[in-house]
């Protein structure tokens, strides 16, 4: 990957689903020329990833949150799975700001300096998802949303759980 950066074929190298230990191994690689620019991880109020985000940001690695809305239309969803977009407290905070739950969830990530990549195919929702820069959540609202953490993964990658490098076996 570093050769691709050196050749100008890519601007930066990113990693995905790396925990602290795996990221540290990369950063401590002898002769490292280009550290990862970004770590893409599952991140939403039910999986806040606070320690991993702080660690990455302290190392100058941006964080991108996938599943920031907890996609309700995922085919493997179980009926008992929690729904972020239907969470009463999320709805209540969103209503205070005259915003949708999705807009609130995106703003939550932005205020943590986390890049959010929501999935949408609906033109109206895509436009709506961009309207998150005209309000700010209070410290109390941010703390409330952070308190929802359950360490619950939407994308558990369960088929890999026994692999020695399975990233979710570590604390962060």
């Amino acid at each position: 990957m570093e050769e691709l950066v050196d050749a100008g074929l890519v601007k930066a190298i990113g990693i995905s689903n790396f925990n602290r230990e795996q990221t540290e191994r990369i950063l401590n690689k002898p002769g490292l020329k280009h550290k990862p620019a970004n770590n893409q991880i599952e991140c939403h109020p039910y999986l806040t990833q606070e320690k991993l985000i702080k660690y990455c940001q302290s190392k100058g690695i941006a964080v991108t949150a996938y599943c920031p809305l907890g996609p309700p239309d995922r085919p493997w969803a179980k009926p008992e799975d929690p729904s972020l977009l239907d969470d009463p407290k999320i709805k209540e905070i969103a209503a205070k700001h005259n915003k949708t739950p999705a807009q609130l969830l995106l703003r939550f990530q932005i205020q943590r300096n986390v890049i959010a990549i929501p999935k949408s195919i609906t033109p109206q929702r895509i436009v709506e998802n961009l309207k998150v820069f005209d309000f700010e959540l209070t410290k109390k609202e941010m703390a409330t949303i952070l308190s929802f953490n359950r360490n619950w993964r939407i994308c558990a990658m369960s088929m890999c759980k026994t692999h020695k490098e399975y990233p979710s076996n570590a604390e962060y």
Side-chain angles (χ1 to χ4, degrees):
M1 294 297 287
E2 289 182 318
E3 291 172 9
L4 295 172
V5 176
D6 291 340
L9 297 173
V10 297
K11 294 208 181 260
I13 298 170
I15 54 180
S16 183
N17 297 312
F18 275 48
N19 62 33
R20 184 206 50 80
E21 181 186 324
Q22 293 166 329
T23 304
E24 197 70 30
R25 281 199 313 247
I26 298 276
L27 295 175
N28 292 328
K29 178 184 168 268
L32 180 72
K33 292 173 19 183
H34 305 285
K35 73 177 183 181
N38 188 281
N39 189 5
Q40 183 176 322
I41 59 174
E42 180 181 344
C43 187
H44 45 76
Y46 296 155
L47 182 66
T48 58
Q49 302 263 33
E50 288 179 83
K51 288 181 180 178
L52 183 56
I53 289 169
K54 285 178 185 167
Y55 169 77
C56 287
Q57 291 173 341
S58 77
K59 299 296 183 183
I61 300 171
V63 175
T64 298
Y66 66 81
C67 294
L69 308 180
D73 60 346
R74 62 193 184 281
W76 63 91
K78 298 179 191 105
E80 67 272 11
D81 284 353
S83 170
L84 279 166
L85 296 174
D86 293 324
D87 186 292
K89 194 67 180 167
I90 296 281
K91 286 180 163 184
E92 178 186 324
I93 297 170
K96 279 189 202 174
H97 294 278
N98 294 316
K99 295 294 180 179
T100 67
Q103 289 170 317
L104 176 97
L105 294 169
L106 295 173
R107 182 67 202 186
F108 166 72
Q109 298 296 358
I110 290 166
Q111 282 187 224
R112 299 193 316 149
N113 293 317
V114 172
I115 302 155
I117 50 171
K119 174 195 165 268
S120 184
I121 58 169
T122 310
Q124 176 191 345
R125 285 196 188 129
I126 293 168
V127 170
E128 189 177 88
N129 287 346
L130 294 172
K131 295 180 181 178
V132 295
F133 298 102
D134 59 348
F135 75 106
E136 192 169 310
L137 300 171
T138 66
K139 286 183 181 183
K140 184 179 178 188
E141 290 168 334
M142 289 294 290
T144 297
I145 297 168
L146 283 168
S147 76
F148 297 164
N149 187 45
R150 306 172 180 192
N151 291 319
W152 181 72
R153 293 184 183 276
I154 293 166
C155 302
M157 299 182 283
S158 52
M159 72 293 260
C160 302
K161 280 187 176 180
T162 58
H163 192 281
K164 67 178 182 149
E165 294 295 338
Y166 180 67
S168 302
N169 287 335
E171 178 191 1
Y172 70 99

